[in-house]
Amino acid sequence: MLASVRYIGVPLLSPPALKQRLIGSVSGYVTTSYSSLSPAKSSSKGRASDKHVKSAGTKTTKPKGPAKKDMPWERRDPKSGELIPLPYDRKPTKRPRFVLFFMERLQELKEKPEFRKANQDGNKVFDIKSAASTIGAEWKKLPDSERARVDKLYEQHVAQYEKDLKAWQKSLTPDDIQRQNQFLAYQRKMGKKAVRRNIPVPDNMKRPLSAFFLFAQHLRANSQTTQPVYEFAKEAGAKWKALSAKEKEPFEEQARADKEEYNKRMERLK
């Protein structure tokens, strides 16, 4: 044992002293090894100084990620690049009687000093909560003469609303209807509740029937069948496959003519 100790160059020590020396050596080794692996405090100063040098020099800009891709229902104005509102965003709104009365009274109360209050900065602002409470109380005790005036105001509003609604419906293009209905379908897919109904497609915007559906329509009109739709469609498909090219020709010609007329109509509606 002593020979082996001398061989490795460790001086002769008593067992307790030797144990203490070994523990100190191992502890130092572990500390040194951990320090070499973990960032030292002195190195953090170096990094801080490097950061200071970089900030003092040319300003580095964070690279921008890829531009967000527009959704299928989104369209942009070719000049400004801004998103074009969906049809429902510009659809006229019919308001109830109370809302008309509320909006009218709100403009009047804005000018009265008793409905002004100081905000956190000390500036006088309109107290909308107090005004709304006052208008609500007035509505409950509204005299018959004032209610009759509001009824007349409501009739004028409805007449204007119906006029604006017809103009809005007339302004809709096939692309408008498609975009709005795509967005509504997306909302339903995402699980949103109370999604508005799709905009109905007018008859003049509906896609024409294909040659097969023209044949099925002709077949149903000339038969007294009471078959369910699925069974009739299956039978019509079998009969269509059995037709010769010459027998299919009238329906295919009609389908081509309808499609050409549809395309021309869509061009006029753009």
Side-chain angles (χ1 to χ4, degrees):
M1 178 68 182
L2 293 176
S4 61
V5 171
R6 290 194 186 93
Y7 179 75
I8 60 174
V10 179
L12 290 176
L13 298 170
S14 63
L18 180 60
K19 181 179 179 181
Q20 190 66 29
R21 176 70 65 84
L22 291 173
I23 291 173
S25 300
V26 172
S27 176
Y29 172 76
V30 172
T31 303
T32 305
S33 302
Y34 179 77
S35 300
S36 64
L37 293 173
S38 60
K41 292 183 179 179
S42 60
S43 62
S44 65
K45 291 182 180 179
R47 286 197 305 276
S49 61
D50 292 344
K51 185 177 180 181
H52 178 71
V53 171
K54 288 181 181 178
S55 62
T58 307
K59 186 178 179 180
T60 57
T61 56
K62 193 174 182 180
K64 295 182 179 180
K68 183 183 175 183
K69 187 178 180 181
D70 289 342
M71 301 299 283
W73 56 83
E74 292 179 332
R75 301 287 184 275
R76 293 188 178 274
D77 185 273
K79 293 183 179 179
S80 65
E82 296 181 356
L83 287 174
I84 300 173
L86 287 169
Y88 274 155
D89 294 336
R90 50 187 173 85
K91 183 181 179 182
T93 305
K94 184 169 71 172
R95 297 182 172 89
R97 290 173 175 81
F98 171 71
V99 173
L100 297 176
F101 175 75
F102 181 89
M103 293 172 66
E104 185 183 58
R105 287 290 292 143
L106 197 66
Q107 295 300 321
E108 296 171 358
L109 297 183
K110 278 184 178 180
E111 306 302 325
K112 294 189 176 183
E114 58 265 32
F115 292 101
R116 311 289 293 181
K117 68 174 183 178
N119 62 5
Q120 294 179 350
D121 299 330
N123 299 322
K124 291 288 185 177
V125 295
F126 180 56
D127 189 356
I128 181 67
K129 186 177 180 180
S130 176
S133 178
T134 300
I135 296 170
E138 290 177 351
W139 177 256
K140 290 179 181 179
K141 299 178 181 180
L142 206 64
D144 293 340
S145 59
E146 183 65 9
R147 195 169 291 275
R149 186 190 70 82
V150 174
D151 288 343
K152 188 175 181 180
L153 189 68
Y154 176 74
E155 290 176 3
Q156 295 172 353
H157 167 70
V158 170
Q160 185 62 44
Y161 163 76
E162 291 176 350
K163 183 179 178 181
D164 294 342
L165 182 63
K166 288 180 180 178
W168 174 79
Q169 290 171 336
K170 191 176 180 180
S171 71
L172 293 176
T173 65
D175 187 59
D176 286 336
I177 297 173
Q178 183 182 15
R179 290 196 306 121
Q180 183 64 70
N181 292 345
Q182 279 181 330
F183 177 66
L184 296 175
Y186 173 78
Q187 287 184 311
R188 296 186 191 98
K189 184 178 179 181
M190 297 303 292
K192 185 176 180 180
K193 297 181 179 179
V195 178
R196 302 173 75 170
R197 293 182 179 181
N198 282 10
I199 299 178
V201 180
D203 292 337
N204 63 336
M205 293 186 188
K206 290 181 178 178
R207 292 182 177 275
L209 298 176
S210 64
F212 165 70
F213 281 104
L214 288 172
F215 168 73
Q217 193 179 63
H218 168 78
L219 197 65
R220 196 171 189 87
N222 290 279
S223 65
Q224 302 297 326
T225 182
T226 57
Q227 291 176 301
V229 175
Y230 172 75
E231 292 182 6
F232 175 78
K234 190 175 180 181
E235 182 182 336
K239 290 183 178 180
W240 175 256
K241 289 181 179 179
L243 291 179
S244 64
K246 189 174 182 179
E247 290 172 323
K248 291 180 179 180
E249 189 174 352
F251 302 103
E252 291 174 343
E253 286 182 359
Q254 182 63 43
R256 282 194 295 269
D258 291 347
K259 188 175 182 180
E260 289 178 6
E261 177 60 29
Y262 168 80
N263 291 337
K264 291 178 182 179
R265 192 164 59 247
M266 292 300 101
E267 285 294 327
R268 290 195 298 268
L269 291 172
K270 283 184 178 180

